[in-house]
Amino acid sequence: MSNTFKLRALRPLASRDYRLLFAAVGIEVFGTGMWTIVMIFQVLALDDSPLALSAVATGMSLGLFAFSVLGGVVADRFSKRRILITVQGSTAAIMTAVAVLSLTGNIELWHVAAASFAMGAGSAFFYPAYSAYLPVVLPPEQLLAANGLEGALRPSMGQGLGPALGGVIVGMFFPAIGAVIVAASYAIAFVITLFLSRRDEHTEPTPPEDRPSVWGDLHAGVAYVARTRWLLWTLIFGSSLALIVQGPIEVLLPFLTRDRFEDAEATFGFLLAAYGIGGAVGSLVVSSLKLPRRYLTFMILCWGGGTLPLVVIGVADNLILMLSALFVVGALTGAGVVVWGTLLQRLVPLDMIGRVASLDFFVSIAFMPVSIAIAGPLSLLVPIPIIFVIAGVIPPALALIALLAGRMRHTEEKHPLDVAEG
């Protein structure tokens, strides 16, 4: 790996504001990852029932879904810095209350459910504001690298270190200690965000009487996406991809693993780890390169072509082949996500980024549960290996449709982004 390759990936860290933001996001993602484990065992300690766990675990998704669109409107109307601070501070206070209730033995199921809902709602406000704040603190040529660093941070902290340490802490002690660490994580992230610069607060605010209504802002965001072909067709393709791929990986892969391998639990864990590590590696590699001249084509082909290895999952019973296939799927998915985040920040007007990011978020989380819900019943009609083959070959065809219908090449020629870096 050349010095230029490494320097390009790490260049955003030279910015004080980005270092603070990166640290706050990393600690917050770690806390969220740990909460997934703490929440499970806290619920089991209160009511050892799958029904209770399912109801409480749904809380975070409901919070995300309920506020995902509103979060983008808020991000475009108010200071992004203040939103980041408010979300981290509010979540820290809620998690502190949960920790105190757990330590004193006064916690109830509805407390845990409410905390999960609040954490999901906080994320719905945090990430549109974060996406819109990045272009304020970084020059355009560093956004790709910043999104790549974040793309590597999330799986390593949120799916790796956070849950792993959460399991160890809860196993050695009890859920209340894990809740204390989660609360401390958010408190630290809150303090860090207090030191972010007020760059997005220097412009003269629009008088309240001149501001459009919330519904007016939302309508403007939807209208912008609808008339911007590359955005519209990317969202259509991305939602189709979530519908086709998410269910097989999350619901059907465990059954396929059980049928093929003796130690199904450990094998399934290794397969998911390969997928997550691939996503981190793909994010870092793309962030270390210049943005491709055909950036939309590259992104769509990464997502579309990235599902082809799922065919291997369907037909091969060799663990090494399956691990390699999921690594490639994760890497190409992660690479496309990094480019997508960068394009939102460079091609979308600054005062519209929050709404577009939240609409993307809303569409994604709307189709994922649908995919998960239909995967099980579908497997009763179609053999699971065949479902994986279908999930692998349909997205490349949809990618070609998106490239043509979205006139991606026209956008790439009209808005060249391959700026030289100093």
Side-chain angles (χ1 to χ4, degrees):
M1 186 182 292
S2 69
N3 288 335
T4 302
F5 187 88
K6 288 186 288 188
L7 284 174
R8 187 177 291 119
L10 300 177
R11 194 165 292 168
L13 294 172
S15 164
R16 171 187 173 276
D17 277 326
Y18 181 74
R19 288 197 302 273
L20 292 171
L21 202 56
F22 185 73
V25 169
I27 294 170
E28 184 239 8
V29 170
F30 166 80
T32 303
M34 178 175 276
W35 172 249
T36 59
I37 303 298
V38 173
M39 176 196 67
I40 290 171
F41 287 98
Q42 183 66 77
V43 170
L44 294 180
L46 294 169
D47 185 346
D48 192 0
S49 162
L51 183 61
L53 180 57
S54 178
V56 172
T58 304
M60 188 178 295
S61 297
L62 286 176
L64 275 170
F65 191 79
F67 293 98
S68 58
V69 174
L70 180 61
V73 174
V74 171
D76 288 336
R77 290 171 71 95
F78 302 103
S79 161
K80 286 75 174 166
R81 174 183 176 272
R82 291 178 184 173
I83 295 170
L84 299 177
I85 291 172
T86 301
V87 169
Q88 299 290 47
S90 300
T91 309
I94 290 168
M95 288 299 152
T96 299
V98 169
V100 171
L101 288 169
S102 186
L103 284 169
T104 58
N106 293 315
I107 195 164
E108 299 179 16
L109 275 178
W110 75 267
H111 295 140
V112 186
S116 289
F117 181 87
M119 186 175 283
S123 296
F125 286 97
F126 183 91
Y127 292 112
Y130 168 83
S131 297
Y133 189 69
L134 269 187
V136 176
V137 300
L138 287 176
E141 65 272 15
Q142 292 184 15
L143 292 172
L144 181 69
N147 286 304
L149 288 172
E150 183 204 347
L153 182 72
R154 291 194 180 282
S156 58
M157 298 295 283
Q159 300 168 17
L161 184 60
L165 188 57
V168 171
I169 295 296
V170 173
M172 290 178 61
F173 302 101
F174 40 89
I177 300 301
V180 170
I181 297 177
V182 173
S185 299
Y186 274 92
I188 293 170
F190 166 67
V191 172
I192 290 174
T193 55
L194 292 174
F195 292 92
L196 291 170
S197 70
R198 302 173 183 267
R199 297 189 196 187
D200 70 326
E201 299 174 16
H202 291 163
T203 56
E204 194 68 29
T206 304
E209 62 273 13
D210 293 338
R211 291 180 187 170
S213 67
V214 170
W215 287 112
D217 271 347
L218 179 57
H219 179 269
V222 173
Y224 176 79
V225 170
R227 69 173 180 267
T228 308
R229 292 179 68 122
W230 71 269
L231 260 180
L232 177 64
W233 280 96
T234 300
L235 287 178
I236 292 173
F237 174 60
S239 60
S240 302
L241 202 61
L243 183 64
I244 293 169
V245 173
Q246 201 69 29
I249 290 179
E250 293 202 14
V251 177
L252 303 183
L253 186 59
F255 291 95
L256 202 65
T257 305
R258 186 191 62 187
D259 293 341
R260 292 177 178 176
F261 304 100
E262 291 185 6
D263 192 358
E265 293 82 3
T267 303
F268 178 62
F270 286 133
L271 290 170
L272 287 186
Y275 181 72
I277 293 170
V281 171
S283 298
L284 281 177
V285 169
V286 169
S287 72
S288 304
L289 305 171
K290 291 182 179 180
L291 189 69
R293 186 180 297 271
R294 300 297 181 192
Y295 44 84
L296 286 167
T297 304
F298 175 83
M299 177 187 72
I300 296 294
L301 291 181
C302 274
W303 285 342
T307 65
L308 284 172
L310 292 178
V311 175
V312 175
I313 301 296
V315 301
D317 57 4
N318 180 281
L319 180 58
I320 299 300
L321 286 177
M322 293 177 70
L323 288 170
S324 301
L326 282 175
F327 177 88
V328 173
V329 174
L332 292 176
T333 300
V337 169
V338 169
V339 175
W340 170 242
T342 305
L343 296 183
L344 290 184
Q345 293 156 354
R346 295 192 60 182
L347 291 179
V348 176
L350 191 59
D351 63 351
M352 193 71 72
I353 291 176
R355 278 166 284 178
V356 174
S358 66
L359 287 170
D360 169 45
F361 205 26
F362 178 80
V363 169
S364 299
I365 62 178
F367 279 88
M368 284 182 184
V370 175
S371 178
I372 291 170
I374 65 176
L378 182 62
S379 68
L380 300 177
L381 303 174
V382 182
I384 292 178
I386 299 300
I387 292 176
F388 273 96
V389 172
I390 294 172
V393 299
I394 289 181
L398 296 179
L400 294 178
I401 294 173
L403 285 172
L404 295 174
R407 301 179 65 192
M408 305 300 184
R409 182 156 189 162
H410 173 75
T411 300
E412 293 165 342
E413 292 173 349
K414 186 177 180 181
H415 301 285
L417 299 180
D418 51 333
V419 295
E421 296 184 40

mmCIF file of all heavy atoms in Angstrom, residues 278-301:
data_model
loop_
_atom_site.group_PDB
_atom_site.id
_atom_site.type_symbol
_atom_site.label_atom_id
_atom_site.label_comp_id
_atom_site.label_asym_id
_atom_site.label_seq_id
_atom_site.Cartn_x
_atom_site.Cartn_y
_atom_site.Cartn_z
ATOM 1 N N GLY A 278 -15.798 -7.792 4.953
ATOM 2 C CA GLY A 278 -15.759 -7.378 3.553
ATOM 3 C C GLY A 278 -16.258 -5.950 3.383
ATOM 4 O O GLY A 278 -15.675 -5.159 2.637
ATOM 5 N N GLY A 279 -17.345 -5.613 4.098
ATOM 6 C CA GLY A 279 -17.866 -4.256 4.018
ATOM 7 C C GLY A 279 -16.862 -3.222 4.498
ATOM 8 O O GLY A 279 -16.700 -2.162 3.886
ATOM 9 N N ALA A 280 -16.159 -3.525 5.592
ATOM 10 C CA ALA A 280 -15.151 -2.601 6.120
ATOM 11 C C ALA A 280 -13.992 -2.442 5.148
ATOM 12 O O ALA A 280 -13.520 -1.325 4.891
ATOM 13 C CB ALA A 280 -14.652 -3.109 7.472
ATOM 14 N N VAL A 281 -13.519 -3.557 4.582
ATOM 15 C CA VAL A 281 -12.390 -3.512 3.644
ATOM 16 C C VAL A 281 -12.781 -2.754 2.375
ATOM 17 O O VAL A 281 -12.034 -1.901 1.881
ATOM 18 C CB VAL A 281 -11.920 -4.942 3.305
ATOM 19 C CG1 VAL A 281 -10.901 -4.917 2.163
ATOM 20 C CG2 VAL A 281 -11.312 -5.610 4.531
ATOM 21 N N GLY A 282 -13.973 -3.057 1.828
ATOM 22 C CA GLY A 282 -14.425 -2.354 0.633
ATOM 23 C C GLY A 282 -14.537 -0.859 0.857
ATOM 24 O O GLY A 282 -14.155 -0.059 -0.001
ATOM 25 N N SER A 283 -15.031 -0.464 2.023
ATOM 26 C CA SER A 283 -15.157 0.958 2.344
ATOM 27 C C SER A 283 -13.796 1.639 2.390
ATOM 28 O O SER A 283 -13.608 2.733 1.844
ATOM 29 C CB SER A 283 -15.868 1.121 3.693
ATOM 30 O OG SER A 283 -17.172 0.596 3.648
ATOM 31 N N LEU A 284 -12.839 0.983 3.042
ATOM 32 C CA LEU A 284 -11.496 1.574 3.173
ATOM 33 C C LEU A 284 -10.782 1.661 1.836
ATOM 34 O O LEU A 284 -10.103 2.651 1.544
ATOM 35 C CB LEU A 284 -10.667 0.759 4.167
ATOM 36 C CG LEU A 284 -10.945 1.007 5.657
ATOM 37 C CD1 LEU A 284 -10.097 0.082 6.512
ATOM 38 C CD2 LEU A 284 -10.682 2.460 6.021
ATOM 39 N N VAL A 285 -10.915 0.627 1.024
ATOM 40 C CA VAL A 285 -10.227 0.623 -0.275
ATOM 41 C C VAL A 285 -10.747 1.753 -1.155
ATOM 42 O O VAL A 285 -9.976 2.522 -1.738
ATOM 43 C CB VAL A 285 -10.394 -0.741 -0.969
ATOM 44 C CG1 VAL A 285 -9.920 -0.654 -2.421
ATOM 45 C CG2 VAL A 285 -9.603 -1.815 -0.237
ATOM 46 N N VAL A 286 -12.072 1.885 -1.250
ATOM 47 C CA VAL A 286 -12.638 2.941 -2.091
ATOM 48 C C VAL A 286 -12.286 4.318 -1.554
ATOM 49 O O VAL A 286 -12.004 5.250 -2.317
ATOM 50 C CB VAL A 286 -14.167 2.774 -2.196
ATOM 51 C CG1 VAL A 286 -14.807 3.988 -2.830
ATOM 52 C CG2 VAL A 286 -14.499 1.543 -3.019
ATOM 53 N N SER A 287 -12.264 4.461 -0.238
ATOM 54 C CA SER A 287 -11.939 5.767 0.350
ATOM 55 C C SER A 287 -10.491 6.155 0.109
ATOM 56 O O SER A 287 -10.134 7.331 0.221
ATOM 57 C CB SER A 287 -12.224 5.746 1.854
ATOM 58 O OG SER A 287 -11.274 4.956 2.544
ATOM 59 N N SER A 288 -9.651 5.191 -0.212
ATOM 60 C CA SER A 288 -8.236 5.464 -0.440
ATOM 61 C C SER A 288 -7.944 5.821 -1.889
ATOM 62 O O SER A 288 -6.810 6.136 -2.237
ATOM 63 C CB SER A 288 -7.398 4.236 -0.047
ATOM 64 O OG SER A 288 -7.644 3.867 1.296
ATOM 65 N N LEU A 289 -8.941 5.764 -2.739
ATOM 66 C CA LEU A 289 -8.785 6.063 -4.160
ATOM 67 C C LEU A 289 -9.494 7.366 -4.499
ATOM 68 O O LEU A 289 -10.249 7.901 -3.700
ATOM 69 C CB LEU A 289 -9.369 4.916 -4.994
ATOM 70 C CG LEU A 289 -8.821 3.512 -4.709
ATOM 71 C CD1 LEU A 289 -9.647 2.470 -5.456
ATOM 72 C CD2 LEU A 289 -7.361 3.423 -5.089
ATOM 73 N N LYS A 290 -9.265 7.851 -5.709
ATOM 74 C CA LYS A 290 -10.020 9.006 -6.179
ATOM 75 C C LYS A 290 -11.411 8.553 -6.570
ATOM 76 O O LYS A 290 -11.638 7.401 -6.932
ATOM 77 C CB LYS A 290 -9.328 9.639 -7.387
ATOM 78 C CG LYS A 290 -8.012 10.330 -7.063
ATOM 79 C CD LYS A 290 -7.434 10.978 -8.314
ATOM 80 C CE LYS A 290 -6.130 11.700 -8.001
ATOM 81 N NZ LYS A 290 -5.548 12.330 -9.217
ATOM 82 N N LEU A 291 -12.366 9.472 -6.483
ATOM 83 C CA LEU A 291 -13.712 9.167 -6.920
ATOM 84 C C LEU A 291 -13.684 8.825 -8.407
ATOM 85 O O LEU A 291 -13.136 9.577 -9.210
ATOM 86 C CB LEU A 291 -14.631 10.371 -6.681
ATOM 87 C CG LEU A 291 -16.130 10.144 -6.888
ATOM 88 C CD1 LEU A 291 -16.677 9.215 -5.796
ATOM 89 C CD2 LEU A 291 -16.863 11.477 -6.850
ATOM 90 N N PRO A 292 -14.233 7.667 -8.801
ATOM 91 C CA PRO A 292 -14.196 7.286 -10.222
ATOM 92 C C PRO A 292 -14.860 8.337 -11.103
ATOM 93 O O PRO A 292 -15.834 8.983 -10.706
ATOM 94 C CB PRO A 292 -14.985 5.964 -10.252
ATOM 95 C CG PRO A 292 -14.928 5.441 -8.865
ATOM 96 C CD PRO A 292 -14.900 6.656 -7.965
ATOM 97 N N ARG A 293 -14.326 8.488 -12.322
ATOM 98 C CA ARG A 293 -14.912 9.457 -13.256
ATOM 99 C C ARG A 293 -16.362 9.078 -13.567
ATOM 100 O O ARG A 293 -17.233 9.936 -13.651
ATOM 101 C CB ARG A 293 -14.080 9.486 -14.546
ATOM 102 C CG ARG A 293 -14.501 10.562 -15.529
ATOM 103 C CD ARG A 293 -13.620 10.500 -16.777
ATOM 104 N NE ARG A 293 -12.242 10.784 -16.446
ATOM 105 C CZ ARG A 293 -11.694 11.996 -16.439
ATOM 106 N NH1 ARG A 293 -12.446 13.051 -16.737
ATOM 107 N NH2 ARG A 293 -10.428 12.169 -16.136
ATOM 108 N N ARG A 294 -16.618 7.796 -13.723
ATOM 109 C CA ARG A 294 -17.985 7.294 -13.937
ATOM 110 C C ARG A 294 -18.525 6.827 -12.583
ATOM 111 O O ARG A 294 -18.762 5.661 -12.352
ATOM 112 C CB ARG A 294 -17.981 6.149 -14.958
ATOM 113 C CG ARG A 294 -17.456 6.535 -16.326
ATOM 114 C CD ARG A 294 -18.327 7.594 -16.965
ATOM 115 N NE ARG A 294 -17.871 7.982 -18.299
ATOM 116 C CZ ARG A 294 -18.317 9.024 -18.971
ATOM 117 N NH1 ARG A 294 -19.250 9.810 -18.412
ATOM 118 N NH2 ARG A 294 -17.874 9.315 -20.164
ATOM 119 N N TYR A 295 -18.714 7.770 -11.701
ATOM 120 C CA TYR A 295 -19.011 7.440 -10.309
ATOM 121 C C TYR A 295 -20.357 6.735 -10.134
ATOM 122 O O TYR A 295 -20.469 5.793 -9.353
ATOM 123 C CB TYR A 295 -18.967 8.713 -9.447
ATOM 124 C CG TYR A 295 -19.636 9.936 -10.032
ATOM 125 C CD1 TYR A 295 -21.009 10.143 -9.902
ATOM 126 C CD2 TYR A 295 -18.899 10.904 -10.710
ATOM 127 C CE1 TYR A 295 -21.624 11.252 -10.426
ATOM 128 C CE2 TYR A 295 -19.507 12.021 -11.253
ATOM 129 C CZ TYR A 295 -20.866 12.198 -11.112
ATOM 130 O OH TYR A 295 -21.476 13.306 -11.646
ATOM 131 N N LEU A 296 -21.400 7.173 -10.848
ATOM 132 C CA LEU A 296 -22.697 6.516 -10.721
ATOM 133 C C LEU A 296 -22.677 5.109 -11.322
ATOM 134 O O LEU A 296 -23.243 4.165 -10.756
ATOM 135 C CB LEU A 296 -23.784 7.352 -11.409
ATOM 136 C CG LEU A 296 -24.213 8.620 -10.663
ATOM 137 C CD1 LEU A 296 -25.039 9.531 -11.568
ATOM 138 C CD2 LEU A 296 -25.006 8.262 -9.418
ATOM 139 N N THR A 297 -22.022 4.970 -12.457
ATOM 140 C CA THR A 297 -21.887 3.650 -13.082
ATOM 141 C C THR A 297 -21.142 2.707 -12.153
ATOM 142 O O THR A 297 -21.552 1.552 -11.965
ATOM 143 C CB THR A 297 -21.143 3.776 -14.421
ATOM 144 O OG1 THR A 297 -21.833 4.708 -15.261
ATOM 145 C CG2 THR A 297 -21.051 2.423 -15.112
ATOM 146 N N PHE A 298 -20.059 3.196 -11.578
ATOM 147 C CA PHE A 298 -19.272 2.377 -10.641
ATOM 148 C C PHE A 298 -20.126 1.936 -9.462
ATOM 149 O O PHE A 298 -20.134 0.762 -9.077
ATOM 150 C CB PHE A 298 -18.065 3.186 -10.162
ATOM 151 C CG PHE A 298 -17.247 2.504 -9.098
ATOM 152 C CD1 PHE A 298 -16.289 1.566 -9.435
ATOM 153 C CD2 PHE A 298 -17.438 2.798 -7.752
ATOM 154 C CE1 PHE A 298 -15.533 0.928 -8.452
ATOM 155 C CE2 PHE A 298 -16.701 2.173 -6.769
ATOM 156 C CZ PHE A 298 -15.740 1.237 -7.122
ATOM 157 N N MET A 299 -20.883 2.863 -8.883
ATOM 158 C CA MET A 299 -21.694 2.566 -7.709
ATOM 159 C C MET A 299 -22.780 1.532 -8.032
ATOM 160 O O MET A 299 -22.952 0.533 -7.310
ATOM 161 C CB MET A 299 -22.343 3.850 -7.194
ATOM 162 C CG MET A 299 -23.277 3.669 -6.013
ATOM 163 S SD MET A 299 -24.142 5.222 -5.608
ATOM 164 C CE MET A 299 -25.305 5.357 -6.988
ATOM 165 N N ILE A 300 -23.515 1.752 -9.113
ATOM 166 C CA ILE A 300 -24.604 0.845 -9.474
ATOM 167 C C ILE A 300 -24.058 -0.544 -9.810
ATOM 168 O O ILE A 300 -24.643 -1.570 -9.421
ATOM 169 C CB ILE A 300 -25.408 1.403 -10.664
ATOM 170 C CG1 ILE A 300 -26.097 2.722 -10.268
ATOM 171 C CG2 ILE A 300 -26.429 0.388 -11.155
ATOM 172 C CD1 ILE A 300 -27.167 2.581 -9.219
ATOM 173 N N LEU A 301 -22.935 -0.608 -10.518
ATOM 174 C CA LEU A 301 -22.363 -1.906 -10.869
ATOM 175 C C LEU A 301 -21.790 -2.619 -9.640
ATOM 176 O O LEU A 301 -21.820 -3.852 -9.568
ATOM 177 C CB LEU A 301 -21.281 -1.742 -11.940
ATOM 178 C CG LEU A 301 -21.797 -1.319 -13.315
ATOM 179 C CD1 LEU A 301 -20.640 -1.205 -14.315
ATOM 180 C CD2 LEU A 301 -22.849 -2.296 -13.838
#
